[in-house]
Amino acid sequence: MSRDIFIVSNSVDELGGVTTWSHQMARLFTDRGHRVHIVGIAPVAEEIRQTLPQDLPYAMTTLYEAHPPKARRLRGIKGRLNAPERRRQAARRAKMRAKAEELSELFRAAGPGAVVIVTQVWAMEWVALADTKGLTLIGMSHESFEASQKSTRGDRVRRHYSEVDRLLVLTPEDADLWIRAGMENVGSMPNPLPFMPDSPAPRTEKVVASVGRLAFEKGVDLLLDAWADAAPHHPDWVLRIYGAGVEEATLRAHAAGLGLTDSVQWMGSTDDVLGALRGASVFAQASRAEGFPITLLEAMAAGVPVAAFDCAPGVRAIVEDGEDGLLARLGNTMELAGHLRVLMADRELRDRLGDNAFRSVKRYSSTEITDRWEELFAFLER
C-alpha cells in the first residue's frame, strides 16, 4: 500500500551519514510509490551543510529558521534565582510547543498507515510533543550502543524512545545490548548500499582514499598518524582525503607536522564518491566511533579493499577480517599502518579482498533493505 512516510532528523542537510541515509531512503520509498516528507528541526552552519539537488521528488521542511537555544537545567537556589535564564528556558519551551504543533499539522494531514521515522533522538524531543495518534512511530539510533553510552544520548534514547513502536539500531549485536539495558521494543535494520556498480574498480592507481567528515569522531588525525608510519615504505603512493569539516585546518597542520605535505592530498567534499573510489586501490577508515558506516559500504561496493579500525559492531557486520577487508584494533595506528603497508605492497591481496568485498556487500542491496522496511511497516500496523 502507498503510505505517507515522515523522516524526522536534526536537520535536512547536515554533512554526515544520517543525512545521506535520509535522502537515500526517501528516494527508495518514493520509488515504491510512498509519499515522503523529510523534516529537519534546525538549519546548520554553511561549513557543515550538504549541497542537495534542486529537484528532489519529495517534500522537505525545516521547523526553525535559526538553531534553538540549548536546554539548561536550573540547579539549586542559584539556578532558581537566575531570572533571565528562567525566562530564556520558558521561551524555549514555548517555541518548542509551537514547532511541535507544526509537526502535528503535518502528521494530521497524513493518510491511513502513515509512518514517522525519527532518525536522531534530539529530534524526538519535538516529535514527542506532537500529535502522533494513529501513526506508526519508529525511533532510530545511527550509532553503536557503546558510543551512545559515552554521551548523553544513551539516557535520552531510554527516555524518549521507550514508548515508540520500534527502536531500530544498526546491528543485531547492538540490539541485544539495548535489550539487556532494559529496552523491550528493539530491532535492527542495516543501512542500504548507496550504489552497486556493474564491476569493481580497476585498482591500478597508487592511491589510498579516505571519505568522510573532517570531525574528531572520524579519526582522520589517527589515519594521518598511521600514514606517517606507512608512507615511507611506499613513497610512490598518496593518501587522498575527501571531506570537509570544522577540523580541516587542525588536520592540515597535523599532517604538515608529521612531514606528510607531499604524500597527502586534500580533495574537499565530493558529489562523486564512486568516482573517487574508482580512482583508488585501497580505502582507509580510522573512525573512533561508527554506527553502520556508509563509506565502508561504498568502498566495498566499488570493489576497493578496506583497512579500518574495528570500532563498532556495524564495522564487523560489514567487513569480515581477512576475507573482504582488514580490521585493526581501535586506536592502534601501528596495526592500521601495517594493514596499509601490506595492501600497498601486495597487488594479488588487493584484488582478492576487493573482489570478495564487491560480492559480499550485495547482501545490503537497496532492494533487499527496502523490502525489510516494507515488511516492518506491515508488521507494526497489525
Side-chain angles (χ1 to χ4, degrees):
M1 63 176 290
S2 177
R3 304 175 186 273
D4 289 290
I5 299 176
F6 300 91
I7 300 175
V8 186
S9 302
N10 293 356
S11 86
V12 300
D13 57 359
E14 183 176 5
L15 283 170
V18 172
T19 298
T20 300
W21 178 92
S22 297
H23 287 278
Q24 181 186 8
M25 290 310 306
R27 286 187 178 275
L28 292 172
F29 289 144
T30 300
D31 290 344
R32 295 285 180 100
H34 300 299
R35 298 171 297 277
V36 180
H37 197 143
I38 294 184
V39 181
I41 303 301
V44 294
E46 183 68 33
E47 61 267 21
I48 56 172
R49 184 179 301 157
Q50 285 193 29
T51 301
L52 299 174
Q54 296 296 313
D55 56 344
L56 295 174
Y58 44 83
M60 197 165 63
T61 298
T62 297
L63 296 180
Y64 285 81
E65 294 182 1
H67 202 285
K70 291 183 178 180
R72 292 178 181 171
R73 298 181 66 179
L74 301 174
R75 301 178 184 275
I77 295 176
K78 188 174 182 181
R80 290 195 295 271
L81 294 177
N82 188 340
E85 184 61 24
R86 288 174 60 191
R87 287 193 295 270
R88 194 179 77 92
Q89 292 301 318
R92 180 185 186 276
R93 290 191 294 271
K95 191 65 173 280
M96 279 188 73
R97 289 190 291 270
K99 294 303 179 182
E101 180 56 30
E102 292 183 25
L103 272 179
S104 297
E105 292 175 6
L106 292 175
F107 296 161
R108 291 180 193 127
V115 178
V116 178
I117 303 170
V118 187
T119 66
Q120 292 164 295
V121 72
W122 186 68
M124 185 65 199
E125 297 182 31
W126 280 260
V127 175
L129 296 173
D131 179 9
T132 57
K133 184 178 180 180
L135 282 67
T136 295
L137 185 55
I138 297 172
M140 300 189 74
S141 175
H142 278 265
E143 62 183 350
S144 68
F145 175 84
E146 182 180 358
S148 70
Q149 304 314 299
K150 293 179 180 178
S151 74
T152 61
R153 288 185 296 276
D155 288 337
R156 285 187 284 149
V157 165
R158 292 180 180 87
R159 183 165 69 251
H160 294 296
Y161 284 157
S162 60
E163 301 299 324
V164 300
D165 295 296
R166 186 68 89 243
L167 164 60
L168 289 181
V169 294
L170 294 164
T171 67
E173 184 177 339
D174 279 315
D176 287 344
L177 291 170
W178 276 112
I179 291 168
R180 291 179 203 168
M183 299 290 283
E184 299 178 351
N185 57 347
V186 189
S188 64
M189 185 71 73
N191 292 332
L193 280 171
F195 47 70
M196 193 64 236
D198 294 330
S199 60
R203 298 181 295 254
T204 55
E205 301 296 323
K206 293 184 177 181
V207 172
V208 176
S210 167
V211 181
R213 284 181 296 118
L214 304 185
F216 176 77
E217 64 271 17
K218 296 303 180 182
V220 179
D221 57 323
L222 300 178
L223 176 57
L224 291 170
D225 290 341
W227 185 248
D229 185 31
H233 299 271
H234 300 278
D236 51 344
W237 284 67
V238 296
L239 171 64
R240 287 182 184 161
I241 297 176
Y242 293 87
V246 295
E247 297 288 323
E248 181 169 352
T250 301
L251 291 168
R252 283 177 175 265
H254 185 53
L258 292 170
L260 301 176
T261 303
D262 293 336
S263 65
V264 175
Q265 298 175 354
W266 301 89
M267 309 301 291
S269 296
T270 179
D271 295 326
D272 183 15
V273 174
L274 178 57
L277 292 168
R278 290 188 68 83
S281 295
V282 177
F283 179 81
Q285 187 171 79
S287 297
R288 291 179 166 89
E290 284 288 353
F292 199 88
I294 291 173
T295 50
L296 277 187
L297 292 175
E298 291 171 329
M300 293 175 71
V304 178
V306 304
F309 280 151
D310 183 3
C311 65
V315 173
R316 295 188 291 277
I318 297 169
V319 180
E320 185 176 355
D321 185 33
E323 292 298 320
D324 49 23
L326 299 176
L327 298 180
R329 287 165 291 179
L330 176 58
N332 191 326
T333 57
M334 291 185 65
E335 188 176 2
L336 182 63
H339 290 340
L340 292 173
R341 288 201 305 271
V342 72
L343 286 171
M344 288 188 283
D346 192 336
R347 172 65 186 267
E348 183 178 339
L349 177 65
R350 293 199 302 272
D351 287 344
R352 178 174 67 81
L353 295 181
D355 288 344
N356 287 347
F358 181 75
R359 289 188 292 268
S360 68
V361 81
K362 292 179 181 179
R363 67 192 185 277
Y364 298 118
S365 72
S366 59
T367 298
E368 188 163 324
I369 301 306
T370 309
D371 284 346
R372 287 180 58 175
W373 275 101
E374 298 268 25
E375 291 164 5
L376 178 63
F377 296 157
F379 175 80
L380 293 177
E381 193 176 19
R382 292 203 298 263

